Amino acid sequence: MPRNKGTETMTVTRRTLLAAAGTLAAPALVRAQGSAPIRIGEINSYTAVPAFTLPYRNGWQLAVEQVNAAGGVLGRKIEVVSRDDAGKPQDAIRLAGELVNEQKVDLLSGGFLSNVGLALSDYAKQNKKLFIAGEPLTDALVWSDGHRYCYRLRPSTYMQAAMLVDDAAKLPAKRWATVAPNYEYGQSAVKWFKLLLAKKRPDVTFIGEQWPALGKIDAGATVAALEAAKPDNIFNVTFGGDLTNFVRAGNTRGLFEKRGVVSVLTGEPEYLEPLGEETPTGWIVTGYPVESVINTTNTAFIAAYKARFKEMPKMGSVVGFALITSIVAGIAKTGAVDTEKMADSFAGASFDTPFGRAMWRKQDHQGTLGTYVGKTAVKDGHGVMVDWRYVDGAGALPTDAEVAKLRQG
Amino acid sequence: MDFVVVQALTGLAGASSLFLVAAGLTVIFGVTRVVNFAHGSLYMLGAYIGWSILTRLPRDPAWFAAGVLLAALATAALGALLEMGLLRRIYRAPELLQLLATFGVVLMVQDAALYLWGPDELTLPRPPWLRGFVAVAGSRFPLFDLVLIGVGPLVLGLLWLLLARTRFGVLLRAATQDREMVAALGVDQTVLFTVVFALGAGLAGLGGVLSLPDGSANLHIDLDVITDAFVVVVVGGMGSLPGAFLAALLIGELQAFGIVLLPKITLVLVFLVMAVVLVFRPHGLLGRPQAVARGAAEALALVRPAVPALRWLGLAVLALALAAPLFAGPYLLSVLTEMLVAVLFAASLHFMMGPGGMASFGHAAWFGIGAYAAALATHALAAPMPAGLLLAPLAAGAC
């Protein structure tokens, strides 16, 4: 008996063990796919452009925390694996390879500089992996070099120019001069502004242009050269340190007095704050008036951001935040993290941003996130945006036929 | 005509700013023969330190001048520390190694500045006198630019007095011409080098803090300023102060008028000037051929025989590398490929600089031409990769 019982016990035990192993193993497999975090690869120029990327990182961190606190997406948490490309396309490509092959991320995102964004987009195209560009503004990303694996969130140089042109066309005077950094972004912004303004106002002429090297503006000489051309209005594309130098030289030499100035991105806190009490008044700009925008989405965003980081958000914070919400909405709409399915089904997904609701366009994978257009002013020694209005990105794009033509290259 | 006067004055102000940075660089090079890539970082530190000091001082001209001097002195002190802590140890090292070490300093200073002052651009609020202007030929010309126009020649004059009229200056000039001889005569080079480096750093700091009223302290100015400073030093003649002044004048004025005639010339103008000057005067405007350093290493053999252990190690590594595709994942393979590319490039540079004896900063251009040739061949001509690989060295060699 004991012996018999013993064997029986043995058998039972072995079976139970096997069975137990089986039941334990099977759900583990399911769990690995079903509830492990979705991994988002993120690459940006953290050390090269900290003024933008540090608020940007805060932005996406806040969004990740909010998404996970609400239960994640498809029942899974999300996780961002972040890398620093130091502003170099070749580093970005290598890191993209590391994220995809070693970290097994489900998709790639990020970018600040246009050339880095284009390099990452090319990697995505060749390796058939989804890339969601946040900040790079070049039109090529979704038009001439666009492809099914690349989406871009922010309003492009075309859209920025288009948003400003309505107000620029209302300026009565006709003689314009332009000043822009001498590389892809500056050249493309000037090209579109000239084209779009000429359509609305065939009577305007462009009589002068200045192309300072990025980061090396010779502000005194540039201002004197513009002054000598005697324009009625000026279109400015310089930003960052160049803009500060340009504004200071222009203020001293009286370049902006009695002249209309239209300026891209100057209303963003990153660029407006350094101008301080010297902020020129009455410039027509695109930007982000931060706490003066009082509505449910922006007010909630600012409150959460301030509670988490003890400072006001900047434009970068909005881009980082919206990047995550746009990806999460795309994944939720797709119902899976399969690259081919996501590449198709991100298009048409709509998502919440601090600026309100936006969506991914089907025709060129451009996001419809807009921006604020307003005028600069000085309040208590700080530069601010006044008389602003929100311009939806969807309204600042060319017709579908034109987009189709541009996308062919 | 009025415009010409205003633009010429603007060019002079630009020239003064250029000269302040280049003067320090050329003084340091003249004596120590160190190509100090971190000079832009000292300029940036001058701007940041100046911001920290000037924002705490009353905003009238006397306090401003005191703050500027204090910032320059602080930068000079940092320069002395840098010389004692790092450069003193590498004077005997090859030039490229010194360049690498000072480039390391650039990265460290950038991190330190980000940590201490944060990522945002810092601007100095301008009191009315700093925004003031005078009417010149019917246009407004900034008062501060007039000050700058004066500072350049003033600094040149003071440096000239220091060099021509003091014992320190005599030693300095002697060391510039022949530092081995000065050492042989019993002059303590250690102190001399530290003082010279501090002087150069102080000039960079002065340039940095004086850039504040027209601009800002930010994390990009170090590298933005260093290329122009190098060009001025090379055009003027390495180690020549009057040469640097002349070169700064030339570049400042060409810049001011060049952008009026050809607005898109901004990217290439300074390099164009350098190329033209060097064609006619290979040692720069007022430069002299460098004294040949005695005991310089003779040309090395391209390949030296290795000890047996190293050979076996090399063979093992080679075998491992050959087998890598069998066991390494895609990422490890891509890293190994990059390592191989770096090894190839380093070997080619060694070929030029070691046995060839030519220090070439333009070597990367051939690297780029090869890459473009291979990429264009595969993209545009739909050539297979092996054909592209073959074409790359041919194209680079032909160029």
Side-chain angles (χ1 to χ4, degrees), chain A residues 218-234:
Chain A
D218 187 346
T222 304
V223 165
L226 284 172
E227 176 86 53
K230 305 224 178 307
D232 304 318
N233 301 317
I234 295 167

Side-chain angles (χ1 to χ4, degrees), chain A residues 121-152:
Chain A
S121 160
D122 193 53
Y123 176 90
K125 188 178 172 187
Q126 290 188 25
N127 294 277
K128 302 199 185 327
K129 204 79 192 173
L130 197 62
F131 170 56
I132 313 294
E135 174 73 15
L137 297 186
T138 175
D139 300 300
L141 213 46
V142 292
W143 291 349
S144 61
D145 292 342
H147 55 87
R148 68 184 249 105
Y149 300 105
C150 178
Y151 285 78
R152 189 255 311 278

Side-chain angles (χ1 to χ4, degrees), chain B residues 76-310:
Chain B
L78 286 177
L81 281 179
L82 180 63
E83 199 274 343
M84 289 189 280
L86 174 73
L87 290 165
R88 181 174 291 181
R89 293 156 213 280
I90 55 168
Y91 285 129
R92 291 178 183 284
E95 277 166 22
L96 215 65
L97 213 124
Q98 296 173 348
L99 200 72
L100 215 63
T102 52
F103 187 70
V105 174
V106 171
L107 300 179
M108 282 163 57
V109 170
Q110 249 173 15
D111 276 352
L114 175 62
Y115 176 77
L116 288 172
W117 284 282
D120 297 326
E121 238 186 284
L122 298 179
T123 46
L124 184 69
R126 292 195 297 180
W129 70 271
L130 269 178
R131 291 193 222 186
F133 55 87
V134 287
V136 174
S139 289
R140 294 182 187 179
F141 189 77
L143 207 59
F144 186 71
D145 280 11
L146 279 183
V147 175
L148 278 182
I149 292 175
V151 168
L154 182 72
V155 167
L156 180 67
L158 287 175
L159 284 174
W160 179 81
L161 275 181
L162 181 76
L163 290 178
R165 294 293 157 88
T166 65
R167 179 179 150 72
F168 174 72
V170 172
L171 292 179
L172 227 159
R173 278 183 297 143
T176 307
Q177 283 192 352
D178 194 334
R179 62 172 164 175
E180 276 97 3
M181 182 57 79
V182 175
L185 292 175
V187 176
D188 186 357
Q189 282 205 18
T190 326
V191 177
L192 189 69
F193 279 22
T194 307
V195 173
V196 164
F197 201 86
L199 175 69
L203 286 170
L206 183 66
V209 63
L210 284 178
S211 77
L212 281 178
D214 284 341
S216 61
N218 62 64
L219 295 167
H220 300 287
I221 50 179
D222 52 351
L223 292 179
D224 289 338
V225 93
I226 190 71
T227 38
D228 283 358
F230 266 128
V231 170
V232 170
V233 168
V234 169
V235 168
M238 305 279 279
S240 164
L241 265 178
F245 189 74
L246 214 59
L249 272 184
L250 184 71
I251 289 172
E253 289 298 339
L254 280 175
Q255 183 101 353
F257 287 101
I259 62 167
V260 180
L261 303 171
L262 293 165
K264 288 213 173 183
I265 204 170
T266 45
L267 293 183
V268 293
L269 186 90
V270 287
F271 301 105
L272 216 61
V273 173
M274 180 163 81
V276 171
V277 168
L278 291 187
V279 163
F280 292 102
R281 292 192 64 89
H283 295 290
L285 290 173
L286 300 182
R288 268 176 296 209
Q290 274 182 37
V292 180
R294 292 172 192 81
E298 60 264 38
L300 298 168
L302 182 58
V303 181
R304 271 167 296 170
V307 293
L310 192 62

